[in-house]
Amino acid sequence: MKSALVEKFRATYGRAPEIIARAPGRIEFIGNHTDYNGGTVLGAAIDRGVWVALARREDAVRRFESDQRDGIVTVSAQRLERLEGAASWANYPLGVLAALPVFGLRAPAGFDYLAMSDLPAGAGLSSSAAIELASALVFAEAAGERPACETLVQAARHAENHFVGVPCGILDQGVSGFGRKDHLVYIDCRGPRFETVPLPRDAHFWIFNTHTKHALVDGLYAARHRECMEAARALGVDLLVDAPAGALQSSAGRALAPVAAKRARHIIDEIGRVAAAVAALRAGDLAAVGGMLTASHRSSQVWFENSTAELDFLVDALTATPEVYGARLTGGGFGGAVMALTSGKFGDAEAQSVAAAYENEFGARPDIRHTQTGDGAALR
Ligand code: GLA
């Protein structure tokens, strides 16, 4: 990928790049919508991601190109504004440029920029966090800054929240930043505090991407965010992570509106499942980890209502298959992908039989990927 990136950079801009970085996509392992509620979450960086190359310019012109889009987006360093339409992909790097000063970091003035990706887009693997992290690395380096990984992660999330306009938590950027091969990233989102947890041998990830996406997915994500904040307020805490055990049985809990109560129940239980999954991982008990994953999905289905018939079908079919420890929707939900944790004995034949059953039901085949873990964002 790196040589293809350098070659394309030369072809586009007529010179070699000065700085290159790569950041991975991620799988949400467990901890569904817990991040913006101040909770905990486990994710894994994968072996695919976004590469960014950059060369500085003497003038204040910023040129952006992506192998995923046609044409070059040209903007002046004096105007840092959100773009609309076909150029709007450049809001990811532009958002990072806007975020850097918020974290006390300088940004480069003019430059030529190229992004290339081997992450399937729209597969729930967080290509947006990957492009933000890779961009943050090259911009910081171009400005002579060497910030801590945590600062880059925060700047990338800031870009997503305040420039791109998605009220996401820190999961995607945190995992892309702190990922490590054969490990999961554990995030205590309120600190935030990042740690890695070794993956037991014989833990395999399979991703089934349905290519279905609810038309209102951004609005639904924001609605869940709002519902959680309302539930926290009604329970007298800032964030649901602070709701004491038994909060839902208290008088404030019993007075919650039904929707708020369901959302709160999912978040409070899910934070407990993350802790149980970490303990089971440390004990090497993949069957117990898998049980937590499937329980997480059932909670999404019933309490958080961010699953779909397609995702439920895949989880049912997978969990009925030998060698599958557990399965759940991964990411925001409302369509997207299911992740299964399996033993090494689960292979293509098993995956294809689940895909065939799905096709029989829905008339389309999911994309299947036996995904490997990988390292976090870095200059290359
Ligand atoms: C999306 C967001 C994350 C997280 C998940 C749900 O991936 O970007 O911050 O909230 O949904 O857990």
Side-chain angles (χ1 to χ4, degrees):
M1 191 80 176
K2 185 171 176 180
S3 55
L5 179 78
V6 172
E7 207 172 296
K8 189 167 168 65
F9 194 97
R10 277 185 192 281
T12 304
Y13 297 118
R15 61 188 176 133
E18 293 177 302
I19 305 166
I20 292 176
R22 175 195 171 273
R26 66 98 187 91
I27 299 171
E28 176 190 289
F29 187 75
I30 190 167
N32 190 245
H33 288 253
T34 51
D35 58 359
Y36 57 81
N37 286 294
T40 49
V41 61
L42 280 168
I46 62 170
D47 62 347
R48 288 165 171 260
V50 175
W51 289 78
V52 170
L54 177 140
R56 281 167 289 197
R57 298 171 57 100
E58 295 297 325
D59 57 15
V61 172
R62 290 169 169 173
R63 297 197 290 177
F64 298 90
E65 202 201 4
S66 159
D67 72 334
Q68 310 288 303
R69 301 294 146 98
D70 288 333
I72 296 180
V73 178
T74 304
V75 295
S76 156
Q78 272 98 44
R79 284 169 69 96
L80 201 44
E81 286 166 2
R82 258 180 73 90
L83 305 177
E84 304 293 336
S88 61
W89 72 268
N91 287 329
Y92 295 107
L94 286 169
V96 172
L97 289 165
L100 290 173
V102 177
F103 295 86
L105 300 169
R106 288 162 296 170
F111 54 76
D112 293 331
Y113 167 111
L114 169 66
M116 275 176 90
S117 172
D118 61 2
L119 257 184
L125 298 173
S126 229
S127 53
S128 57
I131 191 173
E132 287 158 0
L133 257 297
S135 300
L137 275 165
V138 295
F139 293 150
E141 181 74 9
E145 304 273 10
R146 277 285 168 99
C149 182
E150 183 182 329
T151 311
L152 289 171
V153 164
Q154 300 266 27
R157 178 192 174 193
H158 192 277
E160 185 84 38
N161 289 170
H162 300 283
F163 204 87
V164 179
V166 181
C168 69
I170 203 158
L171 162 69
D172 307 342
Q173 293 79 13
V175 173
S176 184
F178 283 89
R180 183 165 162 209
K181 189 164 171 43
D182 298 325
H183 288 69
L184 294 170
V185 180
Y186 171 83
I187 310 177
D188 181 340
C189 300
R190 191 150 46 173
R193 199 167 54 77
F194 304 89
E195 260 177 59
T196 55
V197 180
L199 260 177
R201 254 186 238 284
D202 202 36
H204 289 256
F205 294 121
W206 289 78
I207 303 286
F208 292 74
N209 181 13
T210 64
H211 289 290
T212 57
K213 193 173 171 188
H214 201 291
L216 301 174
V217 64
D218 290 344
L220 287 166
Y221 185 89
R224 289 298 177 278
H225 187 281
R226 201 175 49 245
E227 290 159 3
C228 288
M229 298 308 145
E230 282 164 11
R233 222 175 1 260
L235 292 172
V237 291
D238 283 345
L239 293 167
L240 281 175
V241 68
D242 290 324
L248 290 175
Q249 287 76 48
S250 70
S251 53
R254 289 197 307 271
L256 278 184
V259 166
K262 287 199 221 177
R263 307 306 182 240
R265 165 124 193 224
H266 170 76
I267 298 301
I268 294 169
D269 290 354
E270 185 77 349
I271 293 170
R273 280 187 288 268
V274 174
V278 171
L281 282 164
R282 296 213 191 272
D285 185 350
L286 285 172
V289 177
M292 289 301 139
L293 301 185
T294 307
S296 163
H297 184 81
R298 298 302 173 207
S299 176
S300 282
Q301 208 176 335
V302 175
W303 303 118
F304 213 65
E305 297 176 292
N306 60 335
S307 187
T308 60
E310 289 86 350
L311 300 174
D312 295 342
F313 183 92
L314 284 172
V315 169
D316 291 346
L318 282 160
T319 50
T321 306
E323 307 304 336
V324 173
Y325 294 118
R328 59 181 294 273
L329 67 84
T330 178
F334 309 111
V338 161
M339 180 211 73
L341 176 70
T342 75
S343 83
K345 292 198 194 113
F346 183 95
D348 269 327
E350 287 76 12
Q352 290 305 338
S353 120
V354 169
Y358 180 93
E359 185 173 15
N360 201 26
E361 183 77 12
F362 296 104
R365 243 179 144 75
D367 270 355
I368 305 172
R369 202 172 288 278
H370 182 188
T371 302
Q372 312 298 322
T373 57
D375 286 328
L379 291 168
R380 302 296 279 253

